Amino acid sequence: MPVPIRFLAAVLSAMVAAGPAGAASMIRDAEIERTLAHIANPILRAASVTPSSVHIYVVNDRELNAFVAGGQNIFINTGLLTKLGSIDELRAVIAHETGHIAGGHLARRDQSLQGSKGMAILGMIGAAAVTIGGSPEAGMAIAAGSQQVAKREMLSHSRGEEAAADQAGLRFMVSAGADPTAVLTVINRFAGQEALMPSQMDPYARTHPLWGDRVAMLEERVATLPKGTPPSEEEVYWHKRMVAKLEGFLKAPAQTLKTYPPSDTSETAALARAIAYHRQPDVARGTRQMEALLASRPDDPFYLELKGQFLLESGDAAGAVAAYRRAVEFAPKEPLLLGGLGRALLNTGDDGDTAEARAALTSSVRLDKANPSVLRDLALAEARLGNEGAAALATAERFAIEGKMPDAARNAIRAADLLPTGSPGWRRAQDLITMTRRVKRRN
């Protein structure tokens, strides 16, 4: 069945990384995305927003910020995720941003549009807008780096919108059974910053103005609200594990080991240390720590995935395949795990593994069309199997994600020439050719 243009447009969510260790501006990690969805879903349901219609993206940026863009897409910086002290604080941030979504506000912050990181986010915003709004040409232009198009669509939050999001967020917190005092805790983390020069302020304080009457109104309102139910032990566990994983991959290993010393015998500390040892690299200690984690949770697909990543990055592709296969066994519909399995299979040096790699990578793309690294691996698998047309098509889709429209067009034309006329792949290539030509005319 051919992929319609509206679905091809979703391919344009640009610059995603393969995992927490990735250096791109967007972080992709199956465990982290699952945890954030679990934390956010009660808030979204309280707002009468379908959870599956909202995407939460993690931005690899140490600055403290969160914003909503493209209608129903929430972006949270890693700096803020690791700074917030509790699930309810994170829910307070998500509730406020959901207030903007429910209120129909559109926030595209100047801070998010500056420099190379901003350009990567522009691609993501463009794709998100395309997916929701059904305007592939506009989205393609944004993904291709047209700041002028994006800036014309920017809307800074007014004081009225901020106040409306505050009140809506409080309602969502209460309806979800969360503690509304967490809203004040988040605000107090940025108290007094309005007296600073803009360059000295945390982005969250710049993009969410903390004027005095707003804070006073929140304090008065929160005092009358019920305190909610504490998060469950399971929720606390997964939140701590998410933070430990982020810190393990994003902080310097020495800093991670100082924050999570061997005297800390908790599971989350062991996870952070395993990642730090692997990154030093101290393969032996990292492996021992990882095996200890798996001994306590042998069926955990995300620990198995992490073991597979460690093994693959250490040069043991066969061992990585075994770990990823187990991970996929326990989470067969996680596209990032399928992508990891495909990548490991391509690195074994055994030609017989290529067909299995293609099957895993194809399944990954079917579930998540916005991962350029998986499309790159799929193109390699198809080329090894002699399927040059399919390889060209996957390459064209990867370049489209990355906003490299001339390269996307060139490979789409090649794919159309090589694939059987009228086949699903040929029609997808034709769609890409049409879309890239429209982008060229717009620019």
Side-chain angles (χ1 to χ4, degrees), residues 200-223:
Q200 297 175 302
M201 297 169 66
D202 286 308
Y204 194 84
R206 293 197 300 270
T207 58
H208 299 71
L210 304 178
W211 13 275
D213 54 348
R214 174 189 170 202
V215 176
M217 181 174 62
L218 283 171
E219 289 175 339
E220 181 178 348
R221 181 79 176 102
V222 167

Side-chain angles (χ1 to χ4, degrees), residues 3-211:
V3 181
I5 287 179
R6 66 180 181 275
F7 291 124
L8 280 176
V11 172
L12 301 178
S13 49
M15 307 302 182
V16 292
S25 291
M26 307 305 298
I27 283 181
R28 296 298 312 277
D29 180 84
E31 177 184 347
I32 291 171
E33 291 175 6
R34 172 186 175 277
T35 298
L36 286 172
H38 186 77
I39 289 171
N41 284 354
I43 297 293
L44 297 172
R45 285 192 291 266
S48 299
V49 175
T50 304
S52 61
S53 71
V54 175
H55 301 278
I56 300 179
Y57 298 109
V58 179
V59 182
N60 187 2
D61 194 325
R62 288 180 289 182
E63 290 187 328
L64 310 183
N65 203 9
F67 56 98
V68 60
Q72 297 199 155
N73 302 277
I74 297 173
F75 296 77
I76 307 177
N77 284 10
T78 54
L80 192 61
L81 283 174
T82 55
K83 176 74 171 179
L84 297 172
S86 70
I87 289 175
D88 279 336
E89 288 183 44
L90 178 52
R91 280 189 171 136
V93 170
I94 293 171
H96 180 89
E97 303 305 334
T98 302
H100 288 304
I101 291 173
H105 311 155
L106 177 64
R108 293 185 182 174
R109 310 300 191 180
D110 284 336
Q111 290 80 5
S112 300
L113 299 176
Q114 295 171 353
S116 59
K117 288 182 292 187
M119 290 302 295
I121 294 171
L122 267 178
M124 180 68 81
I125 290 172
V130 164
T131 304
I132 294 169
S135 177
E137 296 86 357
M140 292 278 286
I142 294 172
S146 176
Q147 292 195 47
Q148 186 177 7
V149 172
K151 287 180 178 178
R152 282 201 301 265
E153 298 182 23
M154 282 194 305
L155 173 66
S156 297
H157 287 324
S158 67
R159 288 193 171 204
E161 288 171 343
E162 284 294 339
D166 284 341
Q167 295 303 313
L170 283 176
R171 290 197 307 273
F172 304 154
M173 291 284 284
V174 172
S175 297
D179 184 359
T181 62
V183 173
L184 296 177
T185 304
V186 172
I187 286 176
N188 287 334
R189 290 186 180 276
F190 303 93
Q193 291 210 14
E194 288 182 328
L196 301 175
M197 295 291 291
S199 61
Q200 297 175 302
M201 297 169 66
D202 286 308
Y204 194 84
R206 293 197 300 270
T207 58
H208 299 71
L210 304 178
W211 13 275

Side-chain angles (χ1 to χ4, degrees), residues 236-237 240-241 244 247 256 259-274 289 292-293 296-297 303:
V236 171
Y237 165 78
K240 287 183 176 179
R241 187 163 142 173
E247 291 185 332
T256 299
T259 304
Y260 298 93
S263 58
D264 185 344
T265 59
S266 67
E267 182 184 340
T268 51
L271 171 60
R273 287 196 298 272
Q289 195 78 81
L293 289 167
S296 64
R297 293 178 177 267
Y303 279 167

Side-chain angles (χ1 to χ4, degrees), residues 413-426:
I413 292 169
R414 183 166 186 265
D417 288 341
L418 292 170
L419 293 167
T421 301
S423 67
W426 180 86

